[in-house]
Amino acid sequence: MSQQVIICVDDEKTVLRSLKAELQEAVGNDYIIEIAEGGQEALELIEELLEDGDEIPLIISDHIMPDMKGDELLKQAHIISPKTIKIMLTGQADIGAIANAINSANLYRYITKPWQSEDLKLTVREALNSYIQAQKLAQQNAKLQQMNQEFVELNCDQAVLIAKLHENENRLTQFLDAMPIGVAVLDADGQLYYINQKAEEILGKGVVPDTSSEKLSEVYQVYQAGTNGEYPIENLPIVRALKGEIATADDAEVHQGDKIIPLEIFATPIYDQQGNIVYAINTFQDITERKEAEAERQKFIEDLFEVNCNLEISLDAELEIAEATSRFVPNEFLAFLGCDSIVDVKLGKAVELEMSVLFSDIRDFTTLSEQMTPTESFKFINSYLSRMEPLIVENQGFIDKYIGDAIMALFSEGADDAVKAGIAMLQTLAEYNRDRASLGYVPVEIGVGINTGSLILGIVGGKSRMDGTVISDTVNLASRIESLTKNYGVSLLITQQTFDRLTNPGDYAIQVIDKVQVKGKSEWVTVYEVFDADLAEVKAGKLATLQLFTEALSLYNMKSFRQATGLFADCLRQNPGDKVARIYLERCN
């Protein structure tokens, strides 16, 4: 990178140090100050700096030096670097030397020794400013010369361009006149500028002089389609384009005596390089044939509609059959198998997926149903299930089957959907029980178990009777987990596999309650209670003792039963409704 360097020359080191210090104070860090103790050393320094690409705005040289006089040094420096400003210091006025420096080195000023500090600083600043201005002037002159040269070249090119422009304009006019659609152009002042031959044919006239945009509809007989009212000027696409819009219209028509020509119009603004609108160009075409085709199509549709009326009953019947079918075989089930309808289903067709399986069951339903007639029991089941089904659908699940009073539902989008559906079912059940209580019926309790994993979804059965089902250990475990809700006196349990797939477990009121070995399984399974749907006071109590319960369970698992007993008892003192804590306290005892 080029540096700005000031050179000080004197054979006395004391003078050089003093001179450099004052110059540094005068120019700050904008310039580098180099020193030389004689004329020859200074010339070598100048050449070295110039070879490195540095600039030398200023040289300050003493006059009386042993190896070379100051005027001779400045004369040779001027030959090497003519743009550098030269100042000479002299303790003895030597008019001849000064004149020589002025004539041969373009001396800027001489300063007598000893110098005045402020005078030196002011002189140096003025000299540097003069150098900068000279540099700027030189650059401007060079630029001006370049511009003059370019201007001369442009003048030569302009004549060629003007000739080409006329040629292109003529060719463009020929192109536009050959187009099969009408073209019209407005200038920035809203004056009609150009109309091609097709436009003249459609409009019945060419450019009418002094036709402004406000008179277009009147002069060219443009009407609102199907009326005798002139087309509103502000709605004309070409007028809207002049305001910066890209506009279209198909509700305009031109009246030529008894002849009516419907138009389709498209208009767009044309901008210059500065982004100013200079023209609006408008294309339009006669759409008489299209209008006739549309009328024929409308007549055809009306005739077809009349025919279709006779087929509506059969079509409605087909739709009802399809809708009824989806109630027995869910559309989601068919979609997973790649079937468009139940007709496509084939025995043995199956697919492996990862899903969350939800099982729910009414507790003590047998006892409950013994108090009802068969008809009452049937109505009760339908009343209960009709409240549960929408909650599963709303959470992106679908019901695979009803097993008496039990529900088996599948969720393919994520474990969160299944957990949210389970919570919603319990919350809706609470509302249902309030309604039952108001009618004198006993409340209903359910258990919900959720497990997540891989399963096989497919069609089983024989040629005469087939059924869609899911088969896997994941399904069996979900059923076993639901049955454990009775053992712990809780409403909703999930497995470790489901817990691991929750997006953010912290969004739920949840606690680990046990590691169990369910019936028919050799592996131990960690289960969690989700208690978001518990009564407010029960939920608050569990949340308040959550950390205490977790610590107690950890001690229990480490077989520190005495310490665990105290903590479980403390949980029950704070939350007497915590059935799980009571179970563990009994286990410890």
Side-chain angles (χ1 to χ4, degrees), residues 314-332:
S314 60
L315 289 174
D316 288 344
E318 288 182 13
L319 290 173
E320 288 179 5
I321 292 171
E323 185 177 347
T325 301
S326 70
R327 295 174 185 168
F328 291 93
V329 181
N331 290 331
E332 295 89 345

mmCIF file with all atom_site columns, all heavy atoms in Angstrom, residues 314-332:
data_model
loop_
_atom_site.group_PDB
_atom_site.id
_atom_site.type_symbol
_atom_site.label_atom_id
_atom_site.label_alt_id
_atom_site.label_comp_id
_atom_site.label_asym_id
_atom_site.label_entity_id
_atom_site.label_seq_id
_atom_site.pdbx_PDB_ins_code
_atom_site.Cartn_x
_atom_site.Cartn_y
_atom_site.Cartn_z
_atom_site.occupancy
_atom_site.B_iso_or_equiv
_atom_site.pdbx_formal_charge
_atom_site.auth_seq_id
_atom_site.auth_comp_id
_atom_site.auth_asym_id
_atom_site.auth_atom_id
_atom_site.pdbx_PDB_model_num
ATOM 1   N N   . SER A 1 314 ? -78.033 -42.220 -8.535  1.00 0.00 ? 314 SER A N   1
ATOM 2   C CA  . SER A 1 314 ? -77.054 -43.300 -8.512  1.00 0.00 ? 314 SER A CA  1
ATOM 3   C C   . SER A 1 314 ? -75.704 -42.834 -7.968  1.00 0.00 ? 314 SER A C   1
ATOM 4   O O   . SER A 1 314 ? -75.036 -43.552 -7.228  1.00 0.00 ? 314 SER A O   1
ATOM 5   C CB  . SER A 1 314 ? -76.885 -43.894 -9.907  1.00 0.00 ? 314 SER A CB  1
ATOM 6   O OG  . SER A 1 314 ? -76.442 -42.909 -10.812 1.00 0.00 ? 314 SER A OG  1
ATOM 7   N N   . LEU A 1 315 ? -75.324 -41.575 -8.343  1.00 0.00 ? 315 LEU A N   1
ATOM 8   C CA  . LEU A 1 315 ? -74.053 -41.044 -7.834  1.00 0.00 ? 315 LEU A CA  1
ATOM 9   C C   . LEU A 1 315 ? -74.104 -40.853 -6.331  1.00 0.00 ? 315 LEU A C   1
ATOM 10  O O   . LEU A 1 315 ? -73.144 -41.168 -5.613  1.00 0.00 ? 315 LEU A O   1
ATOM 11  C CB  . LEU A 1 315 ? -73.732 -39.718 -8.530  1.00 0.00 ? 315 LEU A CB  1
ATOM 12  C CG  . LEU A 1 315 ? -73.336 -39.808 -10.009 1.00 0.00 ? 315 LEU A CG  1
ATOM 13  C CD1 . LEU A 1 315 ? -73.185 -38.421 -10.592 1.00 0.00 ? 315 LEU A CD1 1
ATOM 14  C CD2 . LEU A 1 315 ? -72.053 -40.602 -10.161 1.00 0.00 ? 315 LEU A CD2 1
ATOM 15  N N   . ASP A 1 316 ? -75.228 -40.307 -5.850  1.00 0.00 ? 316 ASP A N   1
ATOM 16  C CA  . ASP A 1 316 ? -75.377 -40.119 -4.402  1.00 0.00 ? 316 ASP A CA  1
ATOM 17  C C   . ASP A 1 316 ? -75.301 -41.451 -3.681  1.00 0.00 ? 316 ASP A C   1
ATOM 18  O O   . ASP A 1 316 ? -74.730 -41.563 -2.591  1.00 0.00 ? 316 ASP A O   1
ATOM 19  C CB  . ASP A 1 316 ? -76.709 -39.439 -4.087  1.00 0.00 ? 316 ASP A CB  1
ATOM 20  C CG  . ASP A 1 316 ? -76.702 -37.973 -4.495  1.00 0.00 ? 316 ASP A CG  1
ATOM 21  O OD1 . ASP A 1 316 ? -75.600 -37.450 -4.714  1.00 0.00 ? 316 ASP A OD1 1
ATOM 22  O OD2 . ASP A 1 316 ? -77.792 -37.368 -4.591  1.00 0.00 ? 316 ASP A OD2 1
ATOM 23  N N   . ALA A 1 317 ? -75.886 -42.469 -4.313  1.00 0.00 ? 317 ALA A N   1
ATOM 24  C CA  . ALA A 1 317 ? -75.844 -43.802 -3.696  1.00 0.00 ? 317 ALA A CA  1
ATOM 25  C C   . ALA A 1 317 ? -74.413 -44.297 -3.590  1.00 0.00 ? 317 ALA A C   1
ATOM 26  O O   . ALA A 1 317 ? -74.012 -44.873 -2.577  1.00 0.00 ? 317 ALA A O   1
ATOM 27  C CB  . ALA A 1 317 ? -76.703 -44.768 -4.509  1.00 0.00 ? 317 ALA A CB  1
ATOM 28  N N   . GLU A 1 318 ? -73.625 -44.067 -4.665  1.00 0.00 ? 318 GLU A N   1
ATOM 29  C CA  . GLU A 1 318 ? -72.219 -44.496 -4.629  1.00 0.00 ? 318 GLU A CA  1
ATOM 30  C C   . GLU A 1 318 ? -71.449 -43.767 -3.540  1.00 0.00 ? 318 GLU A C   1
ATOM 31  O O   . GLU A 1 318 ? -70.624 -44.358 -2.844  1.00 0.00 ? 318 GLU A O   1
ATOM 32  C CB  . GLU A 1 318 ? -71.578 -44.249 -5.988  1.00 0.00 ? 318 GLU A CB  1
ATOM 33  C CG  . GLU A 1 318 ? -72.051 -45.191 -7.079  1.00 0.00 ? 318 GLU A CG  1
ATOM 34  C CD  . GLU A 1 318 ? -71.330 -44.927 -8.396  1.00 0.00 ? 318 GLU A CD  1
ATOM 35  O OE1 . GLU A 1 318 ? -70.331 -44.202 -8.370  1.00 0.00 ? 318 GLU A OE1 1
ATOM 36  O OE2 . GLU A 1 318 ? -71.780 -45.448 -9.422  1.00 0.00 ? 318 GLU A OE2 1
ATOM 37  N N   . LEU A 1 319 ? -71.716 -42.447 -3.422  1.00 0.00 ? 319 LEU A N   1
ATOM 38  C CA  . LEU A 1 319 ? -71.038 -41.675 -2.379  1.00 0.00 ? 319 LEU A CA  1
ATOM 39  C C   . LEU A 1 319 ? -71.410 -42.173 -0.999  1.00 0.00 ? 319 LEU A C   1
ATOM 40  O O   . LEU A 1 319 ? -70.573 -42.247 -0.097  1.00 0.00 ? 319 LEU A O   1
ATOM 41  C CB  . LEU A 1 319 ? -71.382 -40.191 -2.525  1.00 0.00 ? 319 LEU A CB  1
ATOM 42  C CG  . LEU A 1 319 ? -70.781 -39.485 -3.737  1.00 0.00 ? 319 LEU A CG  1
ATOM 43  C CD1 . LEU A 1 319 ? -71.339 -38.069 -3.852  1.00 0.00 ? 319 LEU A CD1 1
ATOM 44  C CD2 . LEU A 1 319 ? -69.267 -39.435 -3.627  1.00 0.00 ? 319 LEU A CD2 1
ATOM 45  N N   . GLU A 1 320 ? -72.681 -42.520 -0.811  1.00 0.00 ? 320 GLU A N   1
ATOM 46  C CA  . GLU A 1 320 ? -73.118 -43.017 0.489   1.00 0.00 ? 320 GLU A CA  1
ATOM 47  C C   . GLU A 1 320 ? -72.442 -44.347 0.812   1.00 0.00 ? 320 GLU A C   1
ATOM 48  O O   . GLU A 1 320 ? -72.065 -44.607 1.953   1.00 0.00 ? 320 GLU A O   1
ATOM 49  C CB  . GLU A 1 320 ? -74.639 -43.176 0.495   1.00 0.00 ? 320 GLU A CB  1
ATOM 50  C CG  . GLU A 1 320 ? -75.388 -41.843 0.531   1.00 0.00 ? 320 GLU A CG  1
ATOM 51  C CD  . GLU A 1 320 ? -76.895 -42.025 0.499   1.00 0.00 ? 320 GLU A CD  1
ATOM 52  O OE1 . GLU A 1 320 ? -77.337 -43.201 0.544   1.00 0.00 ? 320 GLU A OE1 1
ATOM 53  O OE2 . GLU A 1 320 ? -77.611 -41.024 0.425   1.00 0.00 ? 320 GLU A OE2 1
ATOM 54  N N   . ILE A 1 321 ? -72.304 -45.187 -0.246  1.00 0.00 ? 321 ILE A N   1
ATOM 55  C CA  . ILE A 1 321 ? -71.632 -46.471 -0.034  1.00 0.00 ? 321 ILE A CA  1
ATOM 56  C C   . ILE A 1 321 ? -70.176 -46.250 0.374   1.00 0.00 ? 321 ILE A C   1
ATOM 57  O O   . ILE A 1 321 ? -69.664 -46.893 1.296   1.00 0.00 ? 321 ILE A O   1
ATOM 58  C CB  . ILE A 1 321 ? -71.716 -47.328 -1.311  1.00 0.00 ? 321 ILE A CB  1
ATOM 59  C CG1 . ILE A 1 321 ? -73.165 -47.756 -1.562  1.00 0.00 ? 321 ILE A CG1 1
ATOM 60  C CG2 . ILE A 1 321 ? -70.807 -48.547 -1.211  1.00 0.00 ? 321 ILE A CG2 1
ATOM 61  C CD1 . ILE A 1 321 ? -73.393 -48.414 -2.893  1.00 0.00 ? 321 ILE A CD1 1
ATOM 62  N N   . ALA A 1 322 ? -69.493 -45.305 -0.342  1.00 0.00 ? 322 ALA A N   1
ATOM 63  C CA  . ALA A 1 322 ? -68.086 -45.021 -0.016  1.00 0.00 ? 322 ALA A CA  1
ATOM 64  C C   . ALA A 1 322 ? -67.950 -44.479 1.396   1.00 0.00 ? 322 ALA A C   1
ATOM 65  O O   . ALA A 1 322 ? -67.044 -44.845 2.141   1.00 0.00 ? 322 ALA A O   1
ATOM 66  C CB  . ALA A 1 322 ? -67.520 -44.023 -1.024  1.00 0.00 ? 322 ALA A CB  1
ATOM 67  N N   . GLU A 1 323 ? -68.896 -43.585 1.775   1.00 0.00 ? 323 GLU A N   1
ATOM 68  C CA  . GLU A 1 323 ? -68.836 -43.007 3.117   1.00 0.00 ? 323 GLU A CA  1
ATOM 69  C C   . GLU A 1 323 ? -69.103 -44.075 4.172   1.00 0.00 ? 323 GLU A C   1
ATOM 70  O O   . GLU A 1 323 ? -68.453 -44.123 5.213   1.00 0.00 ? 323 GLU A O   1
ATOM 71  C CB  . GLU A 1 323 ? -69.869 -41.883 3.232   1.00 0.00 ? 323 GLU A CB  1
ATOM 72  C CG  . GLU A 1 323 ? -69.806 -41.149 4.559   1.00 0.00 ? 323 GLU A CG  1
ATOM 73  C CD  . GLU A 1 323 ? -70.795 -39.996 4.614   1.00 0.00 ? 323 GLU A CD  1
ATOM 74  O OE1 . GLU A 1 323 ? -71.352 -39.615 3.561   1.00 0.00 ? 323 GLU A OE1 1
ATOM 75  O OE2 . GLU A 1 323 ? -71.010 -39.469 5.721   1.00 0.00 ? 323 GLU A OE2 1
ATOM 76  N N   . ALA A 1 324 ? -70.074 -44.938 3.889   1.00 0.00 ? 324 ALA A N   1
ATOM 77  C CA  . ALA A 1 324 ? -70.389 -46.002 4.836   1.00 0.00 ? 324 ALA A CA  1
ATOM 78  C C   . ALA A 1 324 ? -69.210 -46.961 4.985   1.00 0.00 ? 324 ALA A C   1
ATOM 79  O O   . ALA A 1 324 ? -68.897 -47.427 6.078   1.00 0.00 ? 324 ALA A O   1
ATOM 80  C CB  . ALA A 1 324 ? -71.637 -46.750 4.371   1.00 0.00 ? 324 ALA A CB  1
ATOM 81  N N   . THR A 1 325 ? -68.548 -47.258 3.856   1.00 0.00 ? 325 THR A N   1
ATOM 82  C CA  . THR A 1 325 ? -67.391 -48.158 3.888   1.00 0.00 ? 325 THR A CA  1
ATOM 83  C C   . THR A 1 325 ? -66.284 -47.611 4.774   1.00 0.00 ? 325 THR A C   1
ATOM 84  O O   . THR A 1 325 ? -65.635 -48.342 5.532   1.00 0.00 ? 325 THR A O   1
ATOM 85  C CB  . THR A 1 325 ? -66.865 -48.381 2.466   1.00 0.00 ? 325 THR A CB  1
ATOM 86  O OG1 . THR A 1 325 ? -67.909 -48.936 1.665   1.00 0.00 ? 325 THR A OG1 1
ATOM 87  C CG2 . THR A 1 325 ? -65.680 -49.322 2.465   1.00 0.00 ? 325 THR A CG2 1
ATOM 88  N N   . SER A 1 326 ? -66.053 -46.256 4.665   1.00 0.00 ? 326 SER A N   1
ATOM 89  C CA  . SER A 1 326 ? -64.978 -45.644 5.452   1.00 0.00 ? 326 SER A CA  1
ATOM 90  C C   . SER A 1 326 ? -65.231 -45.730 6.947   1.00 0.00 ? 326 SER A C   1
ATOM 91  O O   . SER A 1 326 ? -64.315 -45.634 7.749   1.00 0.00 ? 326 SER A O   1
ATOM 92  C CB  . SER A 1 326 ? -64.810 -44.172 5.045   1.00 0.00 ? 326 SER A CB  1
ATOM 93  O OG  . SER A 1 326 ? -65.920 -43.399 5.469   1.00 0.00 ? 326 SER A OG  1
ATOM 94  N N   . ARG A 1 327 ? -66.518 -45.929 7.320   1.00 0.00 ? 327 ARG A N   1
ATOM 95  C CA  . ARG A 1 327 ? -66.808 -46.062 8.745   1.00 0.00 ? 327 ARG A CA  1
ATOM 96  C C   . ARG A 1 327 ? -66.345 -47.409 9.291   1.00 0.00 ? 327 ARG A C   1
ATOM 97  O O   . ARG A 1 327 ? -66.091 -47.550 10.486  1.00 0.00 ? 327 ARG A O   1
ATOM 98  C CB  . ARG A 1 327 ? -68.315 -45.903 8.984   1.00 0.00 ? 327 ARG A CB  1
ATOM 99  C CG  . ARG A 1 327 ? -68.829 -44.516 8.658   1.00 0.00 ? 327 ARG A CG  1
ATOM 100 C CD  . ARG A 1 327 ? -70.334 -44.467 8.760   1.00 0.00 ? 327 ARG A CD  1
ATOM 101 N NE  . ARG A 1 327 ? -70.852 -43.157 8.341   1.00 0.00 ? 327 ARG A NE  1
ATOM 102 C CZ  . ARG A 1 327 ? -72.139 -42.906 8.121   1.00 0.00 ? 327 ARG A CZ  1
ATOM 103 N NH1 . ARG A 1 327 ? -73.032 -43.874 8.270   1.00 0.00 ? 327 ARG A NH1 1
ATOM 104 N NH2 . ARG A 1 327 ? -72.531 -41.710 7.746   1.00 0.00 ? 327 ARG A NH2 1
ATOM 105 N N   . PHE A 1 328 ? -66.270 -48.403 8.396   1.00 0.00 ? 328 PHE A N   1
ATOM 106 C CA  . PHE A 1 328 ? -65.848 -49.737 8.828   1.00 0.00 ? 328 PHE A CA  1
ATOM 107 C C   . PHE A 1 328 ? -64.361 -49.966 8.582   1.00 0.00 ? 328 PHE A C   1
ATOM 108 O O   . PHE A 1 328 ? -63.683 -50.621 9.363   1.00 0.00 ? 328 PHE A O   1
ATOM 109 C CB  . PHE A 1 328 ? -66.675 -50.807 8.107   1.00 0.00 ? 328 PHE A CB  1
ATOM 110 C CG  . PHE A 1 328 ? -68.117 -50.830 8.543   1.00 0.00 ? 328 PHE A CG  1
ATOM 111 C CD1 . PHE A 1 328 ? -69.073 -50.105 7.859   1.00 0.00 ? 328 PHE A CD1 1
ATOM 112 C CD2 . PHE A 1 328 ? -68.508 -51.548 9.663   1.00 0.00 ? 328 PHE A CD2 1
ATOM 113 C CE1 . PHE A 1 328 ? -70.397 -50.107 8.266   1.00 0.00 ? 328 PHE A CE1 1
ATOM 114 C CE2 . PHE A 1 328 ? -69.829 -51.554 10.076  1.00 0.00 ? 328 PHE A CE2 1
ATOM 115 C CZ  . PHE A 1 328 ? -70.790 -50.839 9.381   1.00 0.00 ? 328 PHE A CZ  1
ATOM 116 N N   . VAL A 1 329 ? -63.855 -49.423 7.475   1.00 0.00 ? 329 VAL A N   1
ATOM 117 C CA  . VAL A 1 329 ? -62.420 -49.498 7.186   1.00 0.00 ? 329 VAL A CA  1
ATOM 118 C C   . VAL A 1 329 ? -61.929 -48.063 6.998   1.00 0.00 ? 329 VAL A C   1
ATOM 119 O O   . VAL A 1 329 ? -62.240 -47.433 5.990   1.00 0.00 ? 329 VAL A O   1
ATOM 120 C CB  . VAL A 1 329 ? -62.126 -50.324 5.919   1.00 0.00 ? 329 VAL A CB  1
ATOM 121 C CG1 . VAL A 1 329 ? -60.621 -50.394 5.680   1.00 0.00 ? 329 VAL A CG1 1
ATOM 122 C CG2 . VAL A 1 329 ? -62.709 -51.723 6.044   1.00 0.00 ? 329 VAL A CG2 1
ATOM 123 N N   . PRO A 1 330 ? -61.223 -47.505 7.969   1.00 0.00 ? 330 PRO A N   1
ATOM 124 C CA  . PRO A 1 330 ? -60.827 -46.086 7.886   1.00 0.00 ? 330 PRO A CA  1
ATOM 125 C C   . PRO A 1 330 ? -60.045 -45.779 6.609   1.00 0.00 ? 330 PRO A C   1
ATOM 126 O O   . PRO A 1 330 ? -59.253 -46.601 6.135   1.00 0.00 ? 330 PRO A O   1
ATOM 127 C CB  . PRO A 1 330 ? -59.942 -45.894 9.128   1.00 0.00 ? 330 PRO A CB  1
ATOM 128 C CG  . PRO A 1 330 ? -60.343 -47.002 10.056  1.00 0.00 ? 330 PRO A CG  1
ATOM 129 C CD  . PRO A 1 330 ? -60.741 -48.149 9.196   1.00 0.00 ? 330 PRO A CD  1
ATOM 130 N N   . ASN A 1 331 ? -60.309 -44.597 6.063   1.00 0.00 ? 331 ASN A N   1
ATOM 131 C CA  . ASN A 1 331 ? -59.578 -44.167 4.858   1.00 0.00 ? 331 ASN A CA  1
ATOM 132 C C   . ASN A 1 331 ? -58.075 -44.133 5.109   1.00 0.00 ? 331 ASN A C   1
ATOM 133 O O   . ASN A 1 331 ? -57.278 -44.409 4.208   1.00 0.00 ? 331 ASN A O   1
ATOM 134 C CB  . ASN A 1 331 ? -60.068 -42.790 4.416   1.00 0.00 ? 331 ASN A CB  1
ATOM 135 C CG  . ASN A 1 331 ? -61.484 -42.842 3.859   1.00 0.00 ? 331 ASN A CG  1
ATOM 136 O OD1 . ASN A 1 331 ? -61.902 -43.860 3.308   1.00 0.00 ? 331 ASN A OD1 1
ATOM 137 N ND2 . ASN A 1 331 ? -62.230 -41.763 4.020   1.00 0.00 ? 331 ASN A ND2 1
ATOM 138 N N   . GLU A 1 332 ? -57.690 -43.767 6.340   1.00 0.00 ? 332 GLU A N   1
ATOM 139 C CA  . GLU A 1 332 ? -56.265 -43.726 6.668   1.00 0.00 ? 332 GLU A CA  1
ATOM 140 C C   . GLU A 1 332 ? -55.637 -45.122 6.549   1.00 0.00 ? 332 GLU A C   1
ATOM 141 O O   . GLU A 1 332 ? -54.511 -45.276 6.078   1.00 0.00 ? 332 GLU A O   1
ATOM 142 C CB  . GLU A 1 332 ? -56.050 -43.189 8.089   1.00 0.00 ? 332 GLU A CB  1
ATOM 143 C CG  . GLU A 1 332 ? -56.468 -41.743 8.285   1.00 0.00 ? 332 GLU A CG  1
ATOM 144 C CD  . GLU A 1 332 ? -57.931 -41.610 8.692   1.00 0.00 ? 332 GLU A CD  1
ATOM 145 O OE1 . GLU A 1 332 ? -58.687 -42.605 8.542   1.00 0.00 ? 332 GLU A OE1 1
ATOM 146 O OE2 . GLU A 1 332 ? -58.319 -40.538 9.154   1.00 0.00 ? 332 GLU A OE2 1
#
